[in-house]
C-alpha cells in the first residue's frame, strides 16, 4: 500500500528515510491530485505557518479534509499535529487554517521558543506493548506544541510532566467564577506592577488559561499558565485512524513510531474490519432492519410458493 | 555515542566552553535547523517586507540593516528586530559580523531564533570566527567550499549557507560554482579510500572527524542552503536540483513592481523544484523590472572576464 508524506516544507526527507529503513516506499505529496494515489499520509514537522500558507495557496485544505474524513490513516508530527487538531491556541493574530479531525485542543509552541527546545525520555506503554524495545522513547521537542485537552474518543499514548508554572490554584467549578475573576484581576494588578502584561485569557471546561509576557531589561519571553493543580500535558494521541505526536520521531534512529503507524495502515485493509464497518454504518442508518425485513419477506415468499407447489402437486396427484 | 540521533556528532563536549549548558546541545541545534528544510529564507529590512515575506510563504526571515553601497555594514538595530518579531510568526534571524561575538551575544539576548554570521557585512575578525558552541541559539555560517563548510560546523554552525556573490548583482555564477564545488567534493569523498581521508582532510583544511562523518552519511552533517544572486524561480530550482536543501533570498527581490508575487513564485519553485511544468507557470510574468539585477558594463567588473576554458 502506498504511503505519502506531505512535502510542502520541513522534515519530509527524514520521514521518507525512516520509512525506507522499514522497507516502505514513501511518496512526496505536493499536489491535491496525488492524495488520490495513496492510502495513508504523514504530515511532517516544519514551520507550521509556512506549511499552512503553502497548503492554502495550492488548494490542499479541501483535499486534506476529504482525506481525513474518508478515514484513511494520517499521522501528524509537531506542525502536523497542529494541522490535524480541531482547535488551536497560542498563535499570533490571524492564526492559521487547520485541517481538523482530531478532537483536541493544541497549544502552539507550548514549551517556549527555539531556545527551550529539548530532548526527553517519554514513557510509551502502548508503543512498547505493540512494538517491543526499551520502555522509554527519546522524544525530540523542537518549538513543540502540546495537547491541552483531549476529547473522549481520543487515546492518550504519551504525556509529559511540565515543571510547575506559577501560579497554580485548584480548579474551580462554574459557580465559583466570581472568585476566580477576582483572583485573576488581582494577579493582573500585581503583575502589571512587576512588568507583566496579560495577553490572552480564555476559559475551557472550568479551567482558566492565560498567557502573559514578562518584560526583562531588554528581552521578551512569552509564558502561559493553566490555573489548575495538574502539571501534565499530552504529547501523543491516537483517535481512530489518526495518530499525532508533538515530538519528532523521524529525527531519531528509533523507528518504532513509524512501524506503529504502518501497523495502523495495514490494519485498515483487513476485510473483517471492513465488514464490521459496513454493519455499523448500515445499522446506524436503519438499513439493518430493512435488510431483515426483506429477508423475512423472501422467507415467507419461498414458504408460500413451496406450499403452492405442494398443493398443485397434491391436487394433481389426487 | 549515547544519543540516538540521526546526526551523530563526535565528541562536542570537549569543545563546549560551558559544560553545564547541557540543555541545548549541538544536535538539538541541528535538528532545529532541519525544520527549515525545503524552504526559502528571505532577507528583510523592515516589518512591511517581513509581512510580505511571511504571506508569500517564506519559512524564515533574516533581518539586515539597509544596504549601503560603501561604508561599514553592521548588525541591525535591536528595535527593528523586536518590531519584526512582533509582526511575524515565522522564525526571525539576524545578521552579525564575522568574528563579532558581542554582536552575537546581543542578538541572542534579544531573542532571535537564529544568528547569521554573515560575510556580507563588514568583517570584524579576519582570522577567527565566533565560537558558536558558547551560545544556546543556533548559528548560520557561510562557506565557499567543503573545507570551509566543515570548519564552520566544527566551530558550531547548525546551518551552512553556500555563499556566492556578495555584491547583490543578481549573478548566480559564483553560487553555482561554489555549490558544485561542495557537492563535487562530497561525491569524491564517497568513493575515496578510508586511508586517504587524512590527506584529503589536510588538503581541504577541514577537521578529520567531520570529513569521516560526511563520508559515512553521504552528505554534510548539517542542512545546506544556497545564497547569492538568486532571483528567479529557475535559479531556485537550479540550486535545489544541484543538491541544496533550501535557498536564501536577498532583499533585492523586494525591488520591482510586485514583490509579493515574486517571492511567492520563488517559494513555489522551492516546493516544486523537480516539476518543470509548475516552474514554467510560476516564471510567467516575472521578468519585469529587475533592472538593477542585470549586469551593466560600468558596474560588472567580475564575471565577464572569467570565462570557462
Amino acid at each position: 500500500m502506498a504511503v505519502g508524506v506531505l512535502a510542502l516544507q520541513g522534515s519530509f526527507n527524514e520521514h521518507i528515510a525512516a520509512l525506507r529503513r522499514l522497507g516502505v516506499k514513501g511518496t512526496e505529496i505536493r499536489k491535491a491530485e496525488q492524495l488520490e494515489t495513496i492510502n495513508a499520509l504523514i504530515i511532517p514537522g516544519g514551520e507550521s505557518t509556512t506549511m499552512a500558507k503553502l497548503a492554502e495557496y495550492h488548494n490542499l485544505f479541501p483535499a486534506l479534509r476529504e482525506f481525513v474524513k474518508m478515514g484513511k490513516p494520517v499521522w501528524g508530527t509537531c506542525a502536523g499535529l497542529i494541522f490535524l487538531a480541531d482547535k488551536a491556541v497560542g498563535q499570533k493574530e490571524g492564526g492559521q487554517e487547520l485541517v481538523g479531525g482530531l478532537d483536541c485542543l493544541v497549544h502552539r509552541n507550548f514549551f517556549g521558543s527555539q531556545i527551550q527546545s529539548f530532548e526527553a525520555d517519554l514513557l510509551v506503554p502502548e508503543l512498547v506493548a505493540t512494538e517491543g524495545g526499551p520502555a522509554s522513547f527519546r522524544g525530540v521537542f523542537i518549538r513543540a506544541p502540546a495537547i491541552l485537552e483531549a476529547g473522549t474518543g481520543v487515546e492518550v499514548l504519551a504525556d509529559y510532566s511540565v515543571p510547575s508554572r506559577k501560579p497554580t490554584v485548584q480548579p474551580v467549578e462554574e459557580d465559583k467564577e466570581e472568585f476566580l475573576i477576582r483572583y485573576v484581576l488581582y494577579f493582573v494588578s500585581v503583575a502589571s506592577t512587576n512588568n507583566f502584561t496579560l495577553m490572552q485569557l480564555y476559559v475551557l471546561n472550568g479551567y482558566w488559561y492565560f498567557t502573559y509576557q514578562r518584560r526583562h531589561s531588554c528581552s521578551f519571553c512569552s509564558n502561559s499558565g493553566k490555573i489548575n493543580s495538574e502539571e501534565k500535558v499530552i504529547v501523543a494521541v491516537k483517535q481512530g485512524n489518526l495518530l499525532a505526536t508533538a515530538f519528532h520521531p523521524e529525527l531519531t534512529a528509533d523507528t518504532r513510531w513509524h512501524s506503529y503507524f504502518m501497523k495502523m495502515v495495514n490494519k485498515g485493509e483487513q476485510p473483517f474490519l471492513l465488514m464490521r464497518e459496513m454493519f455499523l454504518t448500515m445499522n446506524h442508518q436503519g438499513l439493518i432492519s430493512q435488510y431483515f425485513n426483506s429477508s423475512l419477506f423472501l422467507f415467507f415468499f419461498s414458504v408460500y410458493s413451496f406450499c403452492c407447489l405442494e398443493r398443485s402437486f397434491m391436487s394433481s396427484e389426487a | 555515542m549515547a544519543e540516538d540521533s540521526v546526526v551523530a556528532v563526535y565528541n562536542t563536549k570537549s569543545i563546549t566552553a560551558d559544560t553545564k549548558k547541557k540543555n541545548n546541545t549541538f544536535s538539538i541545534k541541528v535538528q532545529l535547523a532541519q525544520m527549515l528544510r525545503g524552504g526559502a529564507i528571505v532577507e528583510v529590512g523592515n516589518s512591511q517586507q517581513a509581512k510580505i515575506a511571511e504571506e508569500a510563504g517564506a519559512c524564515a526571515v533574516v533581518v539586515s540593516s539597509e544596504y549601503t553601497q560603501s561604508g561599514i555594514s553592521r548588525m541591525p538595530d535591536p528595535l527593528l528586530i523586536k518590531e519584526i518579531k512582533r509582526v511575524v510568526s515565522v522564525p526571525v534571524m539576524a545578521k552579525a559580523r564575522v568574528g563579532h561575538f558581542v554582536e552575537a551575544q546581543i542578538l541572542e539576548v534579544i531573542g532571535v531564533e537564529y544568528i547569521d554570521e554573515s560575510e556580507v557585512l563588514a568583517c570584524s575578525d579576519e582570522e577567527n570566527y565566533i565560537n558558536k558552541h558558547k551560545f544556546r541559539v543556533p548559528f548560520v555560517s557561510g562557506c565557499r567550499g567543503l573545507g570551509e563548510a566543515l570548519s564552520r560546523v566544527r566551530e558550531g554552525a547548525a546551518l551552512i549557507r553556500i555563499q556566492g556573490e556578495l555584491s547583490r548583482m543578481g549573478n548566480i555564477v559564483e553560487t553555482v560554482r561554489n555549490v558544485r564545488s561542495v557537492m563535487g567534493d562530497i561525491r569524491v569523498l564517497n568513493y575515496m579510500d578510508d586511508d586517504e581521508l587524512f590527506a584529503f582532510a589536510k588538503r581541504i583544511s577541514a577537521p578529520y572527524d567531520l570529513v569521516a562523518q560526511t563520508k559515512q552519511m553521504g552528505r554534510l552533517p548539517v542542512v545546506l542552503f544556497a545564497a547569492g544572486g538568486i532571483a528567479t524561480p529557475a535559479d531556485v530550482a537550479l540550486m535545489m536540483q544541484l543538491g541544496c536543501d533550501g535557498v536564501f533570498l536577498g532583499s533585492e527581490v523586494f525591488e520591482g513592481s510586485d514583490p509579493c508575487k515574486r517571492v511567492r513564485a520563488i517559494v513555489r519553485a522551492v516546493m516544486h523544484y523537480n516539476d518543470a511544468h509548475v516552474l514554467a507557470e510560476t516564471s510567467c510574468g516575472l521578468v519585469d523590472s529587475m533592472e538593477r539585477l542585470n549586469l551593466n558594463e560600468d558596474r560588472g567588473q567580475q564575471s565577464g572576464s572569467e570565462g570557462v576554458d
Side-chain angles (χ1 to χ4, degrees), chain A:
Chain A
M1 75 309 312
V3 179
V5 182
L6 196 63
L8 298 173
Q9 190 264 328
S11 56
F12 53 89
N13 270 329
E14 280 77 10
H15 271 293
I16 293 182
L19 288 173
R20 204 181 313 132
R21 260 178 271 156
L22 294 175
V24 178
K25 180 171 175 340
T27 336
E28 292 180 11
I29 304 292
R30 294 186 164 100
K31 299 186 184 161
E33 309 84 71
Q34 288 171 302
L35 282 172
E36 292 162 26
T37 61
I38 50 168
N39 301 10
L41 182 68
I42 299 182
I43 307 183
E47 210 15 68
S48 62
T49 315
T50 309
M51 287 169 63
K53 291 243 161 16
L54 286 171
E56 194 182 311
Y57 185 63
H58 288 87
N59 286 329
L60 280 171
F61 276 109
L64 285 169
R65 288 188 187 116
E66 187 63 42
F67 195 86
V68 167
K69 241 189 287 227
M70 281 202 285
K72 296 201 179 169
V74 181
W75 178 17
T77 55
C78 192
L81 160 64
I82 299 176
F83 262 51
L84 286 176
D86 275 339
K87 304 176 280 284
V89 294
Q91 312 177 66
K92 294 257 170 109
E93 334 97 44
Q96 66 176 82
E97 201 175 337
L98 304 171
V99 171
L102 194 64
D103 184 15
C104 288
L105 172 69
V106 146
H107 190 302
R108 253 194 85 159
N109 294 21
F110 178 77
F111 297 96
S113 74
Q114 195 111 317
I115 286 185
Q116 274 100 8
S117 303
F118 59 96
E119 288 184 23
D121 283 314
L122 299 167
L123 287 170
V124 277
E126 165 76 23
L127 193 72
V128 174
T130 50
E131 302 290 325
S136 67
F137 181 87
R138 186 91 181 151
V140 177
F141 290 84
I142 303 211
R143 288 173 98 221
I147 300 174
L148 299 175
E149 290 274 332
T152 42
V154 177
E155 187 190 335
V156 174
L157 297 177
D159 53 25
Y160 181 71
S161 318
V162 188
S164 68
R165 297 164 187 272
K166 304 185 275 288
T168 54
V169 298
Q170 295 300 316
V172 291
E173 294 91 39
E174 295 296 328
D175 58 0
K176 292 199 185 134
E177 242 178 46
E178 200 206 54
F179 161 76
L180 196 58
I181 292 174
R182 276 194 276 130
Y183 176 86
V184 171
L185 285 175
Y186 165 73
F187 174 75
V188 169
S189 64
V190 163
S192 54
T193 59
N194 290 343
N195 284 337
F196 276 40
T197 323
L198 194 67
M199 302 298 295
Q200 275 174 318
L201 189 63
Y202 42 92
V203 186
L204 194 72
N205 292 342
Y207 292 86
W208 285 63
Y209 296 82
F210 65 101
T211 61
Y212 61 87
Q213 274 191 342
R214 175 191 278 125
R215 196 181 343 215
H216 287 302
S217 50
C218 65
S219 72
F220 283 82
C221 60
S222 278
N223 289 305
S224 53
K226 184 163 80 121
I227 309 180
N228 79 338
S229 55
E230 212 186 314
E231 241 89 298
K232 274 186 178 290
V233 284
I234 304 168
V235 292
V237 290
K238 176 167 178 281
Q239 176 188 326
N241 264 345
L242 295 178
L243 178 65
T245 53
F247 47 90
H248 293 263
E250 74 275 16
L251 292 180
T252 57
D254 197 339
T255 52
R256 282 186 287 169
W257 283 98
H258 286 85
S259 58
Y260 185 75
F261 182 63
M262 289 315 300
K263 287 202 173 68
M264 276 173 68
V265 175
N266 293 334
K267 242 195 289 191
E269 309 223 326
Q270 281 177 16
F272 166 66
L273 272 171
L274 235 90
M275 292 260 291
R276 196 172 75 98
E277 238 87 89
M278 266 173 55
F279 179 87
L280 286 170
T281 18
M282 274 166 43
N283 197 20
H284 177 69
Q285 295 171 10
L287 281 173
I288 285 284
S289 40
Q290 291 181 30
Y291 176 76
F292 278 152
N293 286 342
S294 62
S295 66
L296 274 169
F297 169 71
L298 272 173
F299 173 74
F300 283 120
F301 181 78
S302 57
V303 165
Y304 172 71
S305 52
F306 181 75
C307 292
C308 288
L309 280 171
E310 269 266 356
R311 240 196 355 201
S312 59
F313 178 67
M314 282 166 76
S315 58
S316 65
E317 281 264 314

Side-chain angles (χ1 to χ4, degrees), chain B residues 126-147:
Chain B
E126 280 165 8
E127 284 195 23
N128 306 300
Y129 284 73
I130 301 174
N131 183 356
K132 302 172 252 296
H133 287 290
K134 289 189 181 177
F135 295 84
R136 297 187 70 193
V137 66
F139 272 75
V140 180
S141 267
C143 76
R144 277 165 218 260
L146 185 62

Side-chain angles (χ1 to χ4, degrees), chain B residues 27-41:
Chain B
S27 62
I28 292 206
K29 292 184 197 170
V30 172
Q31 285 156 354
L32 266 165
Q34 278 183 312
M35 292 302 114
L36 295 175
R37 282 183 90 165
I41 303 182

Side-chain angles (χ1 to χ4, degrees), chain B residues 126-187:
Chain B
E126 280 165 8
E127 284 195 23
N128 306 300
Y129 284 73
I130 301 174
N131 183 356
K132 302 172 252 296
H133 287 290
K134 289 189 181 177
F135 295 84
R136 297 187 70 193
V137 66
F139 272 75
V140 180
S141 267
C143 76
R144 277 165 218 260
L146 185 62
E148 279 183 53
L150 293 177
S151 306
R152 298 295 87 76
V153 172
R154 171 43 81 230
E155 287 158 11
L159 201 157
I160 291 292
R161 169 178 41 88
I162 301 183
Q163 185 65 41
E165 61 159 18
L166 299 172
S167 53
R168 304 176 190 230
M169 286 292 123
N171 193 355
I172 59 166
V173 68
E174 280 198 48
T175 316
V176 171
R177 184 194 312 143
N178 294 333
V179 170
R180 280 210 186 265
S181 153
V182 171
M183 297 302 165
D185 276 342
I186 293 179
R187 281 189 279 263

Side-chain angles (χ1 to χ4, degrees), chain B residues 62-84:
Chain B
V62 192
V63 182
S64 75
S65 41
E66 295 298 317
Y67 174 63
T68 50
Q69 190 88 14
S70 56
I72 302 287
S73 37
R74 306 183 178 88
M75 158 186 102
D77 195 333
L79 277 178
L80 175 65
I81 298 174
K82 286 188 198 173
E83 190 192 325
I84 292 182

